[in-house]
């Protein structure tokens, strides 16, 4: 990685490289931006949201975000006091200025109007939790008409209220309250982050609640949040997070609290986050520039060295990203650790020698050059085509392919922006790339899987439609979940009339229903049954109440850890000759 030593030149160059929009930042930067915070910050941590926050009092505050905050505050030299309160109260307090920092808040567009967010420290997906005894909720759409529990003020609440199924919400103040209600048999489901849900179930030792194996359309990017407009505090916290990441403390804290959940840390794993870090450091460097203009020369040189150290720390910490800077002709003059790891080149071999065009898959770049040349009606070089939109003032982000040192194609999400100096003159380009190769492979696998699934659905539907025997599927509660055309003909019910209704109430004669229910209970409890897997002759009832004798075979099977039963049946009058 390139290092910077010459005071006058390096300060200007460093500021130009980091400040993606530095000129506007300098214009509005307050003169007191680099001053220290004299009074202790009031830091809010919510009650019992494991593993992020644990404890109900200020003295017992613990958890991932509490421990991470302490490490970040130490690096940023911030004085603070932690107060533990209900989540909804914390939201109100930061809005009124009674709290300076919330150490665990999921980002949303509405919340960005109220607070400023740091780089996210972890990202988790939402989950649906139900009682194990129910098989009625297998996907998000099944929440329609159900009573759903969400935490008041949580991102899950705003998401639920935007969905068709969000009309019957029960609001609670904590994850523990939500799961105790569900486990006791009240309401149908809890919607909350998977991580908090699984941790709460484990902590409360609930053995009758489970996570539904289905996706739900919200994801939570948890961050520290500060009162709106406090750019200095935001910059100091983000700088502290970068230093905690570089020192290895972040990984140690993350592994302590999350390793068993196999999540991906959010820190420095998205181009938006890394650009946020760059913007924050731009604010800090603007503060340094102010002092360079107003302090003595010795102090200025000291601040320059500090700026360079912080700059190099962030480049090193951002090892999940390839960060490359070039001059106006495309010659590389910065090549960070992330670029070395991604592409297999040494920075020393790339600086001042190599044009960034050589790192791109040339046929792809040529196609881009051809299209842009035609669109703008002018002949462009490959490098011109790469940066043309950036030169027009557009910050461009697109998928493309890099070539590694061993000529492997690497799919990346590439962000290109201009670099300007303090006089607002363009001096080069900044290329920030994130490796998306594995994501692309996963997407391809998912496409193939969905194609197979669509085909299998076609085959399944064809079998059900064409089978001469009545085919019925029941869940462990004895309710129909499938009823084919032959079954419709045999029992004189339409499929839509029986789905979700109990088998015993529709096709089993009243005199035999008690024996049926007892047999179901015995099987679910002990696994013992006198009829499962065998061909038996039993009485059945049509829609009009008339009884018929049917020959039936019932086979048990599992779907998503739920017991189901597949039944094949035909009327006895059609099978006499077969049995003789």
């Amino acid at each position: 990685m390139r290092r910077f030593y010459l005071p006058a030149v390096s300060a200007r160059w460093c500021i130009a490289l980091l400040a993606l929009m530095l000129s506007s930042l300098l214009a509005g930067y307050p003169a007191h931006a680099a001053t220290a915070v004299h009074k202790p910050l009031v830091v809010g941590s919510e009650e019992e949201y494991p593993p992020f926050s644990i404890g109900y009092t200020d003295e017992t505050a613990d958890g991932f975000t509490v421990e991470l905050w302490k490490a970040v505050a130490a690096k940023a030299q911030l004085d603070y006091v932690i107060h533990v309160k209900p989540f909804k109260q914390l939201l109100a307090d930061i809005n009124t200025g009674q709290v300076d920092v919330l150490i665990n808040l999921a980002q949303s567009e509405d919340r960005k109007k109220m607070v400023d967010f740091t780089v996210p420290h972890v990202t988790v997906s939402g989950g649906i939790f139900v009682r194990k005894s129910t098989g009625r909720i297998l996907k998000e759409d099944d929440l329609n008409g159900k009573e759903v529990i969400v935490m008041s003020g949580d991102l899950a609440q705003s998401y639920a209220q935007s969905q068709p199924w969000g009309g019957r919400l029960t609001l609670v103040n904590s994850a523990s309250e939500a799961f105790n209600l569900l486990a006791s048999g009240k309401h149908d489901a809890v919607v909350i982050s998977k991580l908090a849900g699984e941790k709460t179930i484990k902590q409360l030792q609930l053995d009758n609640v489970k996570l539904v194996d289905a996706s739900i359309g919200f994801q939570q990017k948890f961050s520290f949040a500060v009162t709106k407009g406090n750019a200095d505090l935001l910059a100091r916290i983000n700088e502290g997070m970068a230093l905690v990441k570089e020192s290895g403390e972040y990984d140690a804290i993350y592994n302590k609290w999350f390793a068993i959940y196999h999540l991906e840390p959010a820190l420095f794993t998205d181009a938006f986050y890394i650009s946020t870090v760059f913007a924050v450091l731009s604010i800090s460097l603007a503060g340094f520039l102010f002092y360079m203009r107003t302090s003595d020369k010795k102090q200025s040189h000291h601040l320059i060295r500090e700026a360079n150290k912080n700059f190099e720390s962030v480049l090193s910490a951002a090892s999940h990203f390839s960060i490359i800077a070039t001059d106006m002709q495309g010659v590389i003059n910065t090549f960070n650790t992330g670029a070395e790891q991604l592409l297999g080149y040494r920075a020393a071999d790339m600086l001042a020698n190599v044009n960034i065009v050589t790192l791109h898959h040339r046929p792809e770049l040529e196609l881009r050059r051809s299209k842009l040349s035609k669109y703008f009606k002018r002949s462009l070089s490959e490098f011109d085509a790469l940066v043309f939109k950036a030169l027009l003032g557009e910050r461009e982000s697109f998928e493309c392919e890099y070539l590694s040192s061993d000529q492997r194609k690497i799919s990346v999400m590439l962000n290109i922006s201009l670099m300007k100096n303090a006089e607002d003159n363009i001096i080069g380009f900044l290329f920030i790339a994130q490796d998306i190769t594995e994501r692309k492979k996963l997407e391809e696998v998912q496409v193939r899987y969905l194609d197979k699934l669509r085909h299998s659905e076609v085959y399944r539907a064809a079998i059900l439609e064409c089978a001469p025997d009545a085919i019925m599927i029941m869940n462990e509660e004895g309710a129909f979940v499938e009823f084919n055309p032959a079954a419709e003909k045999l029992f004189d019910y339409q499929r839509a009339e029986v789905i979700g209704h109990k088998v015993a109430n529709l096709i089993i004669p009243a005199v035999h229903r008690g024996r049926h229910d007892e047999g179901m209970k015995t099987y679910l409890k002990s696994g013992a049954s006198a009829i499962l897997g065998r061909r038996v002759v039993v009485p059945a009832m049509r829609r009009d109440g008339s009884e018929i004798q049917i020959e039936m075979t019932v086979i048990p099977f599992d779907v998503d850890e739920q017991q189901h039963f597949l039944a094949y049946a035909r009327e006895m009058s059609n099978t006499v000759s077969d049995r003789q």
Side-chain angles (χ1 to χ4, degrees):
M1 186 187 299
R2 187 171 181 179
R3 303 181 70 86
F4 307 90
Y5 296 105
L6 297 177
V9 176
S10 77
R12 173 186 275 179
W13 200 92
C14 179
I15 294 168
L17 175 61
L18 285 176
L20 306 179
M21 300 174 70
L22 182 56
S23 56
S24 60
L25 289 168
L26 284 171
Y29 193 83
H32 61 276
T35 59
V37 177
H38 297 297
K39 66 176 183 178
L41 296 169
V42 178
V43 176
S45 177
E46 68 180 289
E47 295 177 344
E48 281 299 313
Y49 193 69
F52 296 97
S53 57
I54 296 173
Y56 287 95
T57 66
D58 300 352
E59 295 74 25
T60 60
D62 198 5
F64 169 74
T65 46
V66 174
E67 193 169 340
L68 179 61
W69 167 257
K70 291 177 179 179
V72 169
K75 294 290 187 185
Q77 297 182 329
L78 296 171
D79 188 19
Y80 63 91
V81 292
I82 290 182
H83 291 322
V84 176
K85 296 182 180 181
F87 178 71
K88 195 172 182 179
Q89 183 62 52
L90 290 175
L91 285 179
D93 286 353
I94 198 168
N95 209 15
T96 58
Q98 297 178 57
V99 169
D100 299 303
V101 182
L102 294 185
I103 59 175
N104 194 53
L105 187 63
Q107 294 191 14
S108 72
E109 292 306 313
D110 287 339
R111 289 174 179 175
K112 287 177 183 178
K113 299 173 184 176
M114 179 180 71
V115 298
D116 289 326
F117 287 99
T118 66
V119 175
H121 44 61
V122 76
T123 298
V124 297
S125 299
I128 305 169
F129 293 83
V130 298
R131 286 182 294 277
K132 290 182 179 179
S133 60
T134 180
R136 293 171 296 173
I137 301 175
L138 303 176
K139 57 185 183 301
E140 183 176 350
D141 289 347
D142 295 337
L143 294 174
N144 282 315
K146 302 296 190 296
E147 296 180 3
V148 180
I149 307 170
V150 295
M151 282 181 57
S152 179
D154 190 35
L155 203 60
Q157 180 190 355
S158 56
Y159 174 75
Q161 289 172 339
S162 70
Q163 302 303 306
W165 51 266
R168 302 178 67 185
L169 298 181
T170 298
L171 304 183
V172 298
N173 291 322
S174 69
S176 298
E177 183 183 353
F179 283 97
N180 278 326
L181 279 175
L182 183 66
S184 67
K186 297 178 181 177
H187 314 293
D188 299 301
V190 172
V191 172
I192 196 171
S193 80
K194 286 182 182 179
L195 186 60
E198 290 182 341
K199 188 73 175 180
T200 303
I201 289 172
K202 184 177 180 181
Q203 183 174 321
L204 298 177
Q205 298 182 340
L206 302 176
D207 57 5
N208 67 332
V209 176
K210 68 169 187 174
L211 172 67
V212 174
D213 185 19
S215 61
I216 188 168
F218 82 96
Q219 189 181 63
Q220 293 172 297
K221 295 179 179 179
F222 288 106
S223 307
F224 297 137
V226 304
T227 49
K228 193 70 179 174
N230 198 338
D232 175 49
L233 180 57
L234 186 72
R236 293 181 67 181
I237 294 173
N238 267 327
E239 183 180 3
M241 290 181 71
L243 296 174
V244 166
K245 177 65 177 178
E246 182 198 15
S247 69
E249 292 175 80
Y250 173 84
D251 293 334
I253 296 170
Y254 175 86
N255 289 331
K256 172 182 175 181
W257 293 99
F258 293 132
I260 61 172
Y261 296 100
H262 308 293
L263 296 179
E264 281 296 323
L267 199 57
F268 304 119
T269 56
D270 187 280
F272 170 76
Y273 306 158
I274 198 68
S275 63
T276 301
V277 174
F278 271 59
V280 166
L281 284 182
S282 297
I283 298 173
S284 299
L285 289 171
F288 285 132
L289 182 59
F290 171 79
Y291 273 92
M292 287 164 58
R293 291 172 176 171
T294 58
S295 303
D296 59 44
K297 190 173 183 179
K298 183 177 179 180
Q299 178 69 5
S300 295
H301 286 187
H302 170 72
L303 291 172
I304 290 167
R305 288 193 298 271
E306 289 299 313
N308 286 338
K309 284 169 59 180
N310 289 334
F311 171 68
E312 291 181 14
S313 294
V314 172
L315 284 184
S316 297
S319 57
H320 289 289
F321 286 84
S322 163
I323 301 176
I324 300 172
T326 74
D327 62 15
M328 292 298 293
Q329 287 70 47
V331 177
I332 295 171
N333 49 36
T334 293
F335 200 83
N336 83 325
T337 302
E340 290 181 318
Q341 294 176 356
L342 177 67
L343 300 170
Y345 293 104
R346 293 190 316 123
D349 296 331
M350 304 300 288
L351 300 179
N353 292 316
V354 180
N355 194 294
I356 194 168
V357 166
T358 62
L359 299 179
H360 284 261
H361 182 47
R362 301 303 274 272
E364 181 181 66
L365 192 55
E366 171 57 28
L367 180 61
R368 177 183 173 89
R369 187 200 67 77
S370 176
K371 286 183 177 179
L372 285 175
S373 295
K374 183 177 180 180
Y375 180 81
F376 291 108
K377 298 179 180 179
R378 56 180 292 186
S379 179
L380 300 174
S381 68
E382 289 179 324
F383 180 70
D384 289 338
L386 197 58
V387 300
F388 195 88
K389 289 190 177 181
L391 283 169
L392 293 176
E394 300 179 25
R395 244 175 115 184
E396 189 176 16
S397 178
F398 61 95
E399 292 184 13
C400 63
E401 289 182 333
Y402 272 171
L403 287 179
S404 66
S405 59
D406 57 2
Q407 298 303 296
R408 286 182 300 106
K409 294 179 184 178
I410 302 172
S411 296
V412 299
M413 178 62 72
L414 182 63
N415 290 265
I416 305 175
S417 56
L418 294 175
M419 295 193 308
K420 296 181 180 182
N421 60 16
E423 285 72 40
D424 204 32
N425 297 319
I426 301 172
I427 61 170
F429 302 90
L430 188 63
F431 300 81
I432 303 177
Q434 183 181 15
D435 185 0
I436 59 171
T437 304
E438 292 305 315
R439 192 194 80 188
K440 297 287 285 186
K441 289 180 180 177
L442 180 59
E443 289 174 353
E444 291 173 2
V445 170
Q446 289 174 331
V447 169
R448 290 197 297 270
Y449 171 75
L450 289 174
D451 285 340
K452 289 181 179 179
L453 186 61
R454 279 190 284 269
H455 285 303
S456 67
E457 285 295 305
V458 171
Y459 296 148
R460 183 189 69 82
I463 292 171
L464 289 174
E465 290 289 326
C466 300
D469 288 341
I471 299 177
M472 300 164 284
I473 300 177
M474 292 76 71
N475 60 23
E476 63 183 25
E477 295 178 342
F480 284 112
V481 295
E482 190 52 78
F483 199 79
N484 80 331
E488 292 178 326
K489 183 177 180 181
L490 178 60
F491 295 105
D492 197 25
Y493 285 105
Q494 295 298 305
R495 181 180 182 277
E497 295 178 285
V498 303
I499 298 301
H501 292 279
K502 292 291 186 70
V503 175
N505 296 337
L506 297 180
I507 67 170
I508 296 178
V511 68
H512 299 294
R513 290 172 188 170
R515 188 189 308 171
H516 167 80
D517 292 340
E518 191 62 36
M520 282 281 290
K521 291 177 182 177
T522 300
Y523 175 76
L524 293 173
K525 184 176 181 179
S526 65
S529 173
I531 67 169
L532 292 182
R534 300 173 51 206
R535 188 165 62 179
V536 295
V537 176
V538 295
M541 184 176 66
R542 285 196 173 103
R543 183 191 189 111
D544 60 5
S546 61
E547 287 194 19
I548 57 174
Q549 294 291 313
I550 61 172
E551 187 177 64
M552 182 172 67
T553 302
V554 181
I555 301 170
F557 68 100
D558 287 339
V559 175
D560 295 329
E561 299 182 0
Q562 291 285 313
Q563 185 74 68
H564 285 67
F565 303 91
L566 173 65
Y568 297 89
R570 63 174 65 176
E571 190 173 358
M572 276 286 291
S573 59
N574 296 330
T575 62
V576 173
S577 61
D578 295 336
R579 295 193 310 277
Q580 289 178 340

